Amino acid sequence: MRFEVRRLVRFAHTDPSGIVFYPRYFEMINNTVEDWFADGLGVSFARLHSDYAAGVPTVHTECSFLSPSRLGEVLTFTLAVSRIGRSSLVLDIEAHCAEHRRVRATVTLVYTLVEDSRLESAPLPADLREQIERYRVDATTE
């Protein structure tokens, strides 16, 4: 299963030529991750911080910008989990406009406990891991 969300390319996302300024893609990717936690996993970032006293900072990302996106276009972002470790997960995120792939990213998150302003990796809680597993895809079937 893949998580999917649509995003309108707004004026604030673009440079003077009317195409998405590449750092804005990172914001859109992060918004996709945050939406996935809230809508796909049922654990908003607010709840993750308050109920779990945890966070999921990005520790690594790779991104390819394949084709420009323009003001007014609607991008469909898809998210799938390619790997789940003890405390980390690797997400494959793509953005398309119609059938044209615009961006491809791999993002590694680490589940961390937030204690006394210290961040320390910790095993993913069983209930959260179970929800994440629903979005896992086998790389060999892609």
Side-chain angles (χ1 to χ4, degrees), residues 14-30:
T14 63
D15 65 16
S17 68
I19 64 171
V20 173
F21 182 45
Y22 77 93
R24 300 298 162 255
Y25 280 119
F26 290 106
E27 293 171 352
M28 290 185 231
I29 288 167
N30 190 70

Side-chain angles (χ1 to χ4, degrees), residues 52-55 111-115 118-122:
Y52 290 77
Y111 182 82
T112 59
L113 297 179
V114 182
E115 296 178 15
R118 238 181 44 235
L119 296 177
E120 188 173 307
S121 71

Side-chain angles (χ1 to χ4, degrees), residues 2-125:
R2 294 178 184 277
F3 178 77
E4 187 175 289
V5 65
R6 288 178 176 72
R7 303 206 179 284
L8 174 65
V9 175
R10 298 182 179 278
F11 181 74
H13 297 135
T14 63
D15 65 16
S17 68
I19 64 171
V20 173
F21 182 45
Y22 77 93
R24 300 298 162 255
Y25 280 119
F26 290 106
E27 293 171 352
M28 290 185 231
I29 288 167
N30 190 70
N31 291 341
T32 300
V33 171
E34 190 167 346
D35 290 346
W36 174 58
F37 266 81
D39 301 331
L41 304 179
V43 181
S44 68
F45 273 17
R47 185 170 161 231
L48 186 68
H49 290 279
S50 65
D51 294 358
Y52 290 77
V56 285
T58 299
V59 297
H60 182 80
T61 189
E62 293 180 28
C63 195
S64 296
F65 307 101
L66 305 168
S67 183
S69 298
R70 301 184 187 299
L71 178 63
E73 290 182 326
V74 176
L75 301 177
T76 300
F77 281 79
T78 58
L79 178 153
V81 178
S82 60
R83 190 182 76 71
I84 304 172
R86 179 186 80 82
S87 61
S88 66
L89 53 149
V90 178
L91 308 175
D92 294 326
I93 300 172
E94 292 187 353
H96 293 79
C97 183
E99 70 279 357
H100 303 286
R101 186 166 49 172
R102 302 296 176 82
V103 174
R104 181 180 59 234
T106 303
V107 178
T108 304
L109 306 176
V110 173
Y111 182 82
T112 59
L113 297 179
V114 182
E115 296 178 15
D116 301 323
S117 70
R118 238 181 44 235
L119 296 177
E120 188 173 307
S121 71
L124 285 160

Side-chain angles (χ1 to χ4, degrees), residues 2 80-83 90 92 135-142:
R2 294 178 184 277
V81 178
S82 60
R83 190 182 76 71
V90 178
D92 294 326
Y135 292 90
R136 188 178 196 161
V137 291
D138 182 359
T140 62
T141 62
E142 290 294 302

